Amino acid sequence: MPEQDQAEPQTQTAEHTEAGGNGTAAAPPPPSAEAPDVEFSVPHATSPHPVPRSATLDHASLYFNRELSWIDFNWRVLYQAMDERTPLLERVRFLAISSSNLDEFFRKRVGGLKRQLLAGVRSLSPDGRTPQQQLQLIRQAVLPFYGTMGEVWAQLRPLMRERLGLHVHDYGELSKHQKKRLHRYFQENIFPILTPLAVDPGHPFPFISNLSMSLAVGLRHPARGSMHFARIKVPTSRGRWVPLDEQRVVPLEQVIQHNLHELFRGMEIVSVHAFRVTRNADIERDEEEAEDLIEMISDELRERRFASVVRLEVDSAMPPAMRQLLVRELQLAPDDLYESDQLLDYSAGFALADAAFPEHQYEPWEPVVPTRLLLEGESEDAPDIFSVIRKADLLVHHPYESFRHSVQRFVEEAAVDPRVLAIKQTLYRTSEESPIVAALMRAAEAGKQVAVLVEVKARFDEANNLEWGQRLERSGVHVTYGLVGLKTHSKVTLVIREEEDGLRTYCHIGTGNYNPTTARLYTDLGVLTCAPDVGYDMINLFHYLTGYAPEQHYRKLIVAPREMRAAFTQMIRQEVRHQKKHGTGRIIAKMNGLDDVEMIQELYRASQAGVKIDLIVRGHCRLRPGLKKYSENIRVLSIVGRFLEHSRVYYFHNHGTPQILIGSADWMRRNLDDRVEVCVAVEEKGLRRRLQRLLRFCLEDRRLAWDLRPDGTYVQHRPASDDPPGLHDLLMHRARERTTEADAPWDIL
């Protein structure tokens, strides 16, 4: 008899309608805390084409645009700042996050489209759009986003003043006494740092660094009447906010703006306005032609500093002549200019969100020690972590369970254990003062064989990873800096230990980076195992990563790019066969993004065969759910809340004998074709039940989850007062219960 799926997540049928998009809607009002159980939607940028009756599965109408879908995701982030149920300072933080997200979007995605446009790329996106059309749609979608960010900031400022006594002043609101104090502060702390740069025939337009704040100054010579332009970089390295006292601050750029007469003595200041530029981070490179990968990445980092500007943000009061000058000198088109009538760069809100008002922030969360490690690790003669793993595989779920007391402990114990002979790890991103890296260096210095693949092509972490690689090498670690043509995105560690019966392998395979900082903010899963077949596969994987052994065959691991696409395709088709024969086809997949066209087409075919499919996709999603004849059996939801949903879990019902996998890969083309990714099936029954419960909790959530409709609208349900808490609160509560109930089964999620 097949093992019955006793805790199988329940499906929620998608809306079976056919619809086309209607563009961007107006922002919804923030819900009141007393609202009944109703639905809220956010503006959506996606504008799919109507589906013809005879559309084939590659028809453009069956796909959302990837870039517009990402903007829709950022609307869901921004909505957390609008939602009155969110603590006030966390609303400020979400506004900062949405602003920071938008910066990265312009650097990576808009930058990439502009490079395609300059290269004359004519191929269409899966939804049938050229790079030029996508850039136009992005602008149409981003303009209302700017407006809404300004509206949200205008709402949050008075709330901070009323509820916290935290005043964010405009300079014009200050008293004469306060202005005098700020003038002294300016003279002592700001004036010596500033460097005004004039623009005239003898002084070319200055270089403007990426994401820096600047002031554009219009000047008039009082005697000659001639007009002049100067630029001043706002020195934000010590923070954006100038303190008046402990609870009153003023934006730094305004303090400089109102004291500029100190810099331009003898000139009349006509106008002063803030502006900000964003530079392209999508630099073309040819790894196959590179003689040295490290040198190539170092060159790219230097090139990125001087890359073309892809966005100009200005104060909405900036006069047309000054705007035109900036657009011309920065070699931009008028559509590259965006204006704000509030702040430029709301990421300055991060500092405000960290202010000491705990009653207006999320309740602090301290990850619990995994129950098995807690019960077995407190006495002086407690067994090491390896003996815990030998008893049974261990599944850890961050940030609910402690990264430090599980994964970090695994590496740290391996570093000092005299029986451990070798440690091998992939390192994609880590923290600034990484205890993982420190443990690896200690292990190498103690004479153990330590090999680390440091991925130097991890976007925006290249310089940090180069530095870590060099430090590891100086400690005697064997460092490999990635593979040519592929990013190594897998999250794996292999420990080889000498024991009474010979060498034994211990492995960690996870969904998230070896970063103790993000492990407190991102939801990730990892399995610790000493299963021989997994260990055999991990040995061969590292032979591939550090040497010349591309023709590997794996017993348990699924590794991209060689076999992952085929493996997932086979599992989807298997559910189709089960559906046709038994009516039991069922798929649940949780990931960060879904854009791979081939995988989407497999899901469409499965839906057409009657397979019930739930997709939990935090970010962008190209698949259109709920389309009659194509995807009416597919539901897509996105969970956005306190923690960033980062774990990848894949569930296939398999007619009562579930296959459940975790790993580093999303169903995105880059993950399946251009990266080294690793997924593994979780085979221990108790751990499978944990993962099934997790998926069920996701699908039942009525606080953080957004349902995707066929037209691209995301809808959030407002729960009734007696409904359960949101996913994150629920899992924190259950984690606490596991540590307070002595008889709690260790496999309960």
Side-chain angles (χ1 to χ4, degrees), residues 219-228 267:
L219 303 163
R220 179 185 293 113
H221 194 287
R224 297 194 296 268
S226 55
M227 296 296 297
H228 301 268
M267 296 290 286

Side-chain angles (χ1 to χ4, degrees), residues 148-159:
T148 304
M149 284 197 297
E151 292 170 8
V152 171
W153 176 247
Q155 295 166 3
L156 295 177
R157 278 184 62 192
L159 288 176

Side-chain angles (χ1 to χ4, degrees), residues 298-324:
S298 299
D299 289 343
E300 179 183 318
L301 291 173
R302 286 190 289 270
E303 289 175 30
R304 202 180 285 173
R305 290 186 57 214
F306 301 97
S308 60
V309 176
V310 296
R311 177 180 59 166
L312 169 64
E313 298 172 282
V314 302
D315 168 0
S316 60
M318 180 180 285
M322 189 171 284
R323 297 180 184 212
Q324 292 165 10

Side-chain angles (χ1 to χ4, degrees), residues 230 259 336 421 464 521 615 729:
N259 289 277
D336 296 323
L421 305 178
N464 188 49
L521 302 172
L615 303 174
D729 286 335

Side-chain angles (χ1 to χ4, degrees), residues 80-216:
Q80 310 311 304
M82 303 165 65
D83 193 336
E84 292 181 2
R85 298 172 296 176
T86 305
L88 178 56
L89 288 181
E90 303 300 341
R91 293 173 66 182
V92 176
R93 192 185 311 279
F94 275 114
L95 175 60
I97 292 170
S98 64
S99 177
S100 179
N101 284 349
L102 196 61
D103 289 344
E104 184 172 334
F105 176 75
F106 269 87
R107 296 197 69 194
K108 294 169 64 174
R109 304 304 305 179
V110 174
L113 286 171
K114 282 182 170 290
R115 188 162 65 79
Q116 289 182 33
L117 190 64
L118 290 172
V121 173
R122 296 185 179 182
S123 58
L124 303 180
S125 61
D127 59 299
R129 276 139 177 163
T130 66
Q132 180 63 50
Q133 289 171 328
Q134 292 179 78
L135 287 168
Q136 291 170 348
L137 288 169
I138 287 169
R139 178 170 176 80
Q140 293 170 17
V142 169
L143 285 173
F145 194 89
Y146 268 95
T148 304
M149 284 197 297
E151 292 170 8
V152 171
W153 176 247
Q155 295 166 3
L156 295 177
R157 278 184 62 192
L159 288 176
M160 286 189 286
R161 181 176 64 248
E162 294 165 11
R163 299 180 186 178
L164 285 67
L166 180 58
H167 294 246
V168 180
H169 286 284
D170 284 325
Y171 194 91
E173 302 170 349
L174 303 178
S175 66
K176 289 183 178 180
H177 174 69
Q178 290 171 327
K179 289 178 181 178
K180 284 183 179 179
R181 286 177 55 192
L182 284 182
H183 179 66
R184 288 195 300 271
Y185 181 91
F186 172 82
Q187 289 180 316
E188 295 172 4
N189 297 282
I190 303 174
F191 179 79
I193 303 172
L194 300 178
T195 304
L197 298 173
V199 177
D200 57 32
H203 300 86
F205 192 85
F207 173 77
I208 312 293
S209 56
N210 179 57
L211 299 180
S212 61
M213 180 78 67
S214 298
L215 294 177

Side-chain angles (χ1 to χ4, degrees), residues 365 397 400 642-643 693-704 723-738 749:
W365 169 250
H397 192 197
Y400 310 105
R642 169 177 186 164
F643 301 127
R693 270 191 292 272
L694 170 62
L695 294 174
R696 176 165 57 85
F697 293 155
C698 291
L699 297 178
E700 292 175 350
D701 182 87
R702 292 180 62 80
R703 170 62 180 86
L704 306 178
D723 276 359
L727 176 69
H728 298 163
D729 286 335
L730 173 65
L731 293 179
M732 286 189 289
H733 172 72
R734 292 177 69 88
R736 288 193 193 98
E737 283 189 336
R738 290 200 302 277
L749 186 58

Side-chain angles (χ1 to χ4, degrees), residues 89 93 164 166 246 349-361:
L89 288 181
R93 192 185 311 279
L164 285 67
L166 180 58
E246 289 186 357
F350 283 120
L352 299 175
D354 288 333
F357 296 95
E359 67 275 20
H360 294 282
Q361 295 161 331

Side-chain angles (χ1 to χ4, degrees), residues 283-285 290-306 466:
I283 305 296
E284 187 174 16
R285 63 189 178 205
E291 295 183 3
D292 185 295
L293 188 61
I294 303 303
E295 184 178 345
M296 185 199 74
I297 294 298
S298 299
D299 289 343
E300 179 183 318
L301 291 173
R302 286 190 289 270
E303 289 175 30
R304 202 180 285 173
R305 290 186 57 214
F306 301 97
L466 282 171

